[in-house]
Amino acid sequence: MDPGYFDTEKKRNPRETANIFAKICFWYTWPIFAKGRKGQLSISNVYRCTPEHRATPRGDVMYEKWSKELKKGDKGKKPSLLRTIIKIHGLPFILGNALFACFESGTRLLIPVCLERLINYFSPTHAGISDSHAYMYAAGVVGLMALNAAMLHPMLLWLLEMALKIRVACSSLIYRKLLRLDLTVGGKASEGLAGHVINLLTTDAQRFDMASLFLVDLVKTPIESTLIVYLMYRQIGVAALIGVAFLLLFIPLQAYLGKVSSKLRRQTAVRTDNRIRLMNEVIQSIEAIKMYAWEDAFAKIIGQARKKEMNVIKKMSWLRAVMISCVKLNTKVAIFLSIISYLSFGNDLTAAKVFVIFTYYEMLKYTLVDFLPLGITFTLEAYVSVKRMQEFLLLTEVNNQDGVDLVKIENAQANGVFEKIGNGQQAYIRSDSNVEQPKPQYVISMKDYTTYWRNVDDEAQGKVVENRKIAALADIDLNIKPESLTTIVGTVGSGKSTLLHAILRELTPSAGQLRVSGLVVYAAQEPWLFEASVRQNILFGQDMDLRRYKQVIKCCQLKTDLEILSHGDKTIVGERGTSLSGGQRARISLARCVYQNADVYLLDDPLAAVDAKVGQAIYEDCIRGFLRDRAVVLVTHHVQFARHASLVAVMRGGRIVAQGTYQELKNGVPEFETLIEMGEKVEEEKQKQKQKAAGNYEAQESVEHNYMLRSQRSMSEASQLSFNLDLDNNLDPTYEGETQKKGSVDNSVYLTYIRSGGNKCSMLLLFGLFIVAQMFYSSTDVWLKEWVNLEEANSAVVNAFKNQSLIDGSYNQSSFTGSLNLTSQLNPTMNQTSVSQTTGSNVASDQNSLMNSVLKENITSFQNVTFQDLPSNYFHLTREQCVYVYASLILVCIFLTWNKLVVFYNTCIRASVSLHDSMFRGVTNAPMWFFHHNPSGRILNRFSKDMGQVDTLLPVALVDCLGFLFEVLSILVVVCLVNWWLLVPTAVVAVLLYLLRGLFLCTSRELKRVEAIARSQSLNHAAATVNGLTTIRSTREQQRTLAREFDKLQDLHSSSWTLVLTTNRAFGWWMDMVCCLYLAFVTFSFFLFSGDDTLGGNVGLAVTQVIGLVGMCQFGMRQTAEVENQMTSVERILEYQNLPPETPVEMNKKALRANHPELDFDKWPSKGEIVFEDVSLQYQSPPKKEEPVKAGEKPEEPVYAIRGVNFHIRPAEKVAVVGRTGAGKSSLINALFRLNPITGAVRVDGVTAEEAGLRAWRCRLGALPQRPALFAGSLRDNLDPRGLHSDADLLAALDQVELRSLVAQLAAGLSSRVGDGGGALSGGQRQLVCLARAALARAPVLVLDEATASVDPETDKHIQNTIRTKFANSTVLTIAHRLHTVMDYDRVIVMDKGRVVETGHPYELLTQSTNTQRPEALPKWSLLSKSQAPLAIPENFAFDQRSDSFVDDAAPHAVRNRMRTYSNRSEVSDQDTGGIFKTLVEQTGKETAAMLYKMAEESYKKLQEKKNI
């Protein structure tokens, strides 16, 4: 399914060839930074995925280990995904973390030791430390910090890359499980599967990233914390234990909060799953939602789901506020308690002890308070995600015995007959599948086959209630022979599609046997297409066999369609084939099935969506022609296709009630007779024609043999060239990928986010709280420094004069001088006289006696000095008052921090709610071109990944960023207050940090955008896989191809994600180096610029603050960049919010009053009159940038789907629109409902859509779209999403469409759930439920777009009768392929090539030509003799049985440049027989045409009689 848009040659990652030095310092990332700086980064610049990150080998290893776990489960041991991951990655993870933990802890614990000696050096007494030792300790502080920082980032990168390996392996495992999932068991396997899988691949898979970083802290933290506590005990004794005990009290609280957080995370995941499931359904059914004008109803439903989700996220945010408050402030309280205790025990406080303890507490904060709770939280979140993945992996798998091995998909080879060789030439490869095998008696044999719909909830509880078991199929006996055509017919819900699913082994039999011999392929009832070219949809991963491809295109009637498409078979069809008509989708799906070389072809009603002529041509050319030597099982409601079947099986209620040939059943089986459409009983003449056709069987068989012989020869160069020219002379279509914006996130994005969160006053309050909280937070550190300096000064004074040796004269001169200096500093007035006397004395002999007298005098004076009298104690505070100030500051910090976080998170939640609601409105109000050109995975990515980032990650990054900015600013201010000389290096470092941030931001922003686009590709692939699981599984080996393609898209994302990781780590490494340089400046500045007044408290404060800056700065700078990266999610959301809406949505009251002054709009439309005036419709493309037209180039002309349409439908008139597939019938409905822009005017009761507004216009018209749109909810919600009707009204509407009996069978009645997209109902039942909606609305205008294409004739007859009776007073506009249903309509409009070519009553159209001769049967195509067979079959090959010669059935209007070629067989005969409508009627067969003539004639007579009355 991968269109190959990104299959370009990529350069090798330079990291693979980098040396060890370049890897440590991340030098190899410079080329990416250089491109990012120039704004040249795009997805094409992503490197090739490194071998160790490739998803396929990782997935193979994971699947192999998981398979062993499952085998243990068979023995009674519960399988564990976690155990599987540990077996693969456990040992290297443990060893790597153990080694790094020893290194990191050793370096970090040595830093406080060096810091203590350094601070002691700057204490008043120098503590006996020499200058050389002081320099050594300073170098130790700086060097250990730099060494620790240098090794940290390579280790983090290693851990994140291990998380990447686990993530891609688990994602690959989930996708492979998805391919094998049993969709019939209910639960997560059927409801919300796409949303659940996308959530597993995005939100849950990303949990490994953070868990890998913090998991080791669960083990390392207790050991490291014990060592730190021991070192603190050595410093301050028992006082350390008191502060640590306070910290330990928070661990149980944090563990409890982590447990609550994990529980809330699980609730969030479930509710997010539900919201994504609902959004997926809205996107899948957007056309129906617009036609019903249900945007507001679904906005309410999504809004309720979003409200439940945000209630849990709000609780998580408040919980996070509590945890952050604890983290930020409990270390402050612990330091306070330790200091108080230390002083209480009679100890002297010194700067060295305080700031060493401060450093130890900061380390404890990071390990015990920061990382341990984060480790608990992220580990529990990852554990929850692993459990969710494990639940998905343990869901029931299908046992279809297809032999496909998904355990090992690396280097798997395709099993096709033709393989690409050299320059695209094909050669025949002889393999086992080509050798003629003896044909079995039966290719499919079912005997007493019975199966029940499974209920996963009952099975999980270990009970199966017998009376609740609903039989899907019962007692099926069916034998299908090789080379036979088997037709399955039956009423709606009889089990026809279920029977095909049983043959595919999608159902688990409860009894009986099923044997399948050979390969089986399948074409689903609902065509499944993926976003790629038509050719890629048909080939579906197989090699191109040009001859077979051309034959398939021809027999599936796609030749003319490919000529119309702008790029031929290279045209991109869009997800689900949105750019094609229903018939084109069905035929491409059929072509994919037919192209595969198989033994049995299961075709589930492929003819329902095509008109009678194309259906007949497919039946003859494809089913009875191209597939005549294969076994074909055809499910159909058109019983005329059963005439030529070898076996016809009639089903009712999950049983085969009759089987045999058409002739055996048509007269003896009542069920079969009711299915036979009027006029389709075969006359004797038809029997003769059948015998004649049987006579030509041998000749036809001979030519088929010639085809096989010729297909086994190499094609000549001439024929090969002619084929390639015909196929490849179109220019490839340009890839319309996801838009990637360039440059920085615009300021308007930030302003919009801020406005979404609140008004100006609330924003001012929030910023005010942040500023004031930071001021108080920094003031605690500053106050601690002042208090410590006071304590140290006081201790120095007391210690200096407490030593009695001073009195004994033991002081020397230097000690005496130092004491005098200290004395003069403390109290200059007290010893001024003594000092003057001492300094003025010149008598050396009296020095000792004078010294003793002075000291005695001063000791007496110092005994009277108190703490508050110290000269540096400016406010004369006591020690107790200092304690109260410190405690008060901490309490104020706690209060402000809690309040600012609560206000902040509430603001972010309001912004998230507002952005989601506005994006939902923007998407649902967008024109249809948006959905045609954007796959659902891309849109869901905005609602899942981007919205999830705005909900959870952006608030965390924002609060970190704001906290970092204020804290760094405060640190720089504090450092500069300590030493003014540091202003210059501070300014230099600030400039360096700013430049590095700018460099990183440019690159990181572009890489984030590239990564988001790369991620969308794998999500699109997974979402498309969910929609086509049954079809994919029927292709057998293509499952391996799809798994490899998914892994290839994962590799694309892994390449971009690796660049994100390496650039993040490189930025962090360089930032830390700059901060270590700043630490060196600060530390050594005290040696260079210190004076005698330099105190140890100042040095300790400055150094500890800058040490904190080292780790915090790189993290904070990355968080500022992360904020901008996360704001790209806001930018992407606003991009969808600001999509150009459909206009006008609301009513234009002024225009209504001016143009219709007497109109009562509440009762409009009252008549139902429809007028088309020169209406043309063009399918809109995404708006492109206006580029000047180059000289000589013609501007691109618009391509209209319908052009110049004019007609008038009278009130209560019943009008049918008919035409061939792709004629513009559905485009007519698009024009009426204004799903695409039109020119001209469409009026209903004289009012245009511009006047009424699109919402009112659409909701007043009853609609039944071509695709039945159901949602994974109850039957009641599907019928009436707005809740406007009672249950009685709903049951009455169901009764009108023959579904009352279905509701009676359901255990929950109207409350029964219908599954994703109505998967619990058959295709016909889904259409009938949609028809019941229209009956419930009772609109004056009812529009039916092939409403009964998938129902049986009997139900169709009843529905048509209901339309004629219940909607007798309504205007009915019907698009129909069953002509007998429209023969009694008042008028028929015939469309061809986007124009109205005929209009009138059916009888008038059938008799308007002068040529009244009924046409004979369709011309047959003759077969070739062996001598006439060419080497290569031209595309327009046809053969005529009457002449046994070639007939060139194409009349080319232009040979060159691939201009449109009209087929004589499909076009020319119209003029000969009177008109397109007449041709369509006569192509149904002679007898059916006669009956249709008769019906039209009777209806015309009744109409004339009615007019004459």
Side-chain angles (χ1 to χ4, degrees), residues 1140-1374:
E1142 295 178 301
T1143 53
V1145 176
E1146 302 301 331
M1147 176 177 54
N1148 188 343
K1149 295 182 179 180
K1150 184 177 180 181
L1152 280 175
R1153 283 196 298 267
N1155 300 332
H1156 312 280
E1158 299 179 359
L1159 176 68
D1160 185 358
F1161 191 72
D1162 293 335
K1163 297 180 180 179
W1164 173 88
S1166 56
K1167 302 175 184 177
E1169 180 185 34
I1170 303 174
V1171 178
F1172 272 60
E1173 297 176 355
D1174 194 24
V1175 174
S1176 298
L1177 178 140
Q1178 178 187 5
Y1179 283 101
Q1180 198 173 3
S1181 298
K1184 298 180 180 179
K1185 295 181 180 179
E1186 294 185 2
E1187 296 180 358
V1189 180
K1190 296 180 181 179
E1193 285 188 4
K1194 294 183 179 179
E1196 195 173 321
E1197 294 184 3
V1199 179
Y1200 291 101
I1202 59 175
R1203 183 191 292 271
V1205 172
N1206 291 278
F1207 59 78
H1208 176 209
I1209 300 176
R1210 293 180 291 274
E1213 191 175 14
K1214 308 298 182 286
V1215 178
V1217 180
V1218 298
R1220 298 189 182 93
T1221 301
K1225 305 184 296 298
S1226 295
S1227 298
L1228 206 64
I1229 307 302
N1230 277 345
L1232 178 60
F1233 280 88
R1234 299 299 299 275
L1235 297 177
N1236 283 280
I1238 66 169
T1239 58
V1242 179
R1243 304 182 188 276
V1244 175
D1245 284 359
V1247 178
T1248 64
E1250 286 76 13
E1251 296 167 341
L1254 290 178
R1255 292 280 172 84
W1257 176 271
R1258 290 168 180 167
C1259 71
R1260 306 287 178 89
L1261 306 177
L1264 183 54
Q1266 192 173 27
R1267 283 184 173 180
L1270 296 183
F1271 315 97
S1274 66
L1275 188 58
R1276 179 186 292 105
D1277 293 337
N1278 273 277
L1279 287 169
D1280 185 25
R1282 289 180 284 193
L1284 302 177
H1285 301 279
S1286 64
D1287 284 1
D1289 293 337
L1290 301 182
L1291 291 172
L1294 290 170
D1295 193 35
Q1296 292 175 13
V1297 295
E1298 294 283 298
L1299 282 181
R1300 185 69 177 266
S1301 58
L1302 171 68
V1303 179
Q1305 294 173 3
L1306 298 174
L1310 288 173
S1311 299
S1312 301
R1313 302 186 71 81
V1314 300
D1316 271 353
L1321 305 176
S1322 70
Q1325 288 169 336
R1326 291 197 290 269
Q1327 281 194 321
L1328 294 179
V1329 170
C1330 294
L1331 186 60
R1333 285 180 189 152
L1336 198 63
R1338 298 188 184 91
V1341 176
L1342 179 63
V1343 181
L1344 308 175
D1345 191 354
E1346 299 178 16
T1348 57
S1350 296
V1351 300
D1352 59 276
E1354 184 65 23
T1355 307
D1356 189 7
K1357 182 179 178 182
H1358 177 83
I1359 291 171
Q1360 296 299 331
N1361 185 53
T1362 300
I1363 292 172
R1364 294 183 185 93
T1365 54
K1366 302 297 181 181
F1367 295 93
N1369 297 323
S1370 299
T1371 303
V1372 179
L1373 184 63
T1374 301

Side-chain angles (χ1 to χ4, degrees), residues 746-814:
D746 196 77
N747 292 333
S748 61
V749 175
Y750 290 92
L751 291 175
T752 304
Y753 182 75
I754 292 172
R755 291 193 196 103
S756 301
N759 53 30
K760 293 180 180 179
C761 294
S762 60
M763 291 298 108
L764 288 174
L765 172 65
L766 180 61
F767 280 102
L769 281 172
F770 267 90
I771 293 171
V772 174
Q774 186 58 50
M775 288 175 62
F776 276 93
Y777 186 81
S778 297
S779 65
T780 58
D781 294 334
V782 174
W783 179 253
L784 180 62
K785 181 259 298 184
E786 295 293 335
W787 181 21
V788 165
N789 284 338
L790 286 176
E791 290 288 349
E792 200 167 54
N794 184 67
S795 299
V797 171
V798 173
N799 289 334
F801 296 100
K802 219 165 159 187
N803 197 335
Q804 294 299 323
S805 60
L806 291 174
I807 301 174
D808 297 334
S810 59
Y811 269 178
N812 56 23
Q813 180 66 40
S814 61

Side-chain angles (χ1 to χ4, degrees), residues 1109-1134:
L1109 191 67
V1110 172
M1112 176 182 42
C1113 197
Q1114 60 91 11
F1115 173 76
M1117 279 294 189
R1118 276 194 296 109
Q1119 286 302 92
T1120 61
E1122 186 65 18
V1123 166
E1124 182 147 2
N1125 291 336
Q1126 300 293 351
M1127 288 303 290
T1128 59
S1129 292
V1130 178
E1131 182 183 58
R1132 286 158 59 83
I1133 288 171
L1134 293 178

Side-chain angles (χ1 to χ4, degrees), residues 387-459:
K387 284 294 183 185
R388 278 165 51 82
M389 291 180 181
Q390 181 177 303
E391 288 174 8
F392 181 80
L393 293 173
L394 291 176
L395 290 176
T396 310
E397 294 186 4
V398 294
N399 183 21
N400 56 5
Q401 301 175 15
D402 56 6
V404 176
D405 177 23
L406 292 177
V407 177
K408 291 277 187 182
I409 64 172
E410 178 80 354
N411 299 325
Q413 297 294 328
N415 293 329
V417 173
F418 288 94
E419 298 183 358
K420 294 179 181 177
I421 294 179
N423 59 358
Q425 299 285 326
Q426 273 71 30
Y428 179 68
I429 310 298
R430 185 173 181 83
S431 63
D432 292 339
S433 60
N434 298 326
V435 179
E436 283 292 331
Q437 301 287 343
K439 293 181 180 178
Q441 183 182 5
Y442 301 114
V443 288
I444 295 174
S445 177
M446 305 178 79
K447 185 176 181 181
D448 298 328
Y449 185 96
T450 300
T451 184
Y452 294 91
W453 296 118
R454 303 170 65 182
N455 190 319
V456 72
D457 298 325
D458 289 345
E459 291 181 7

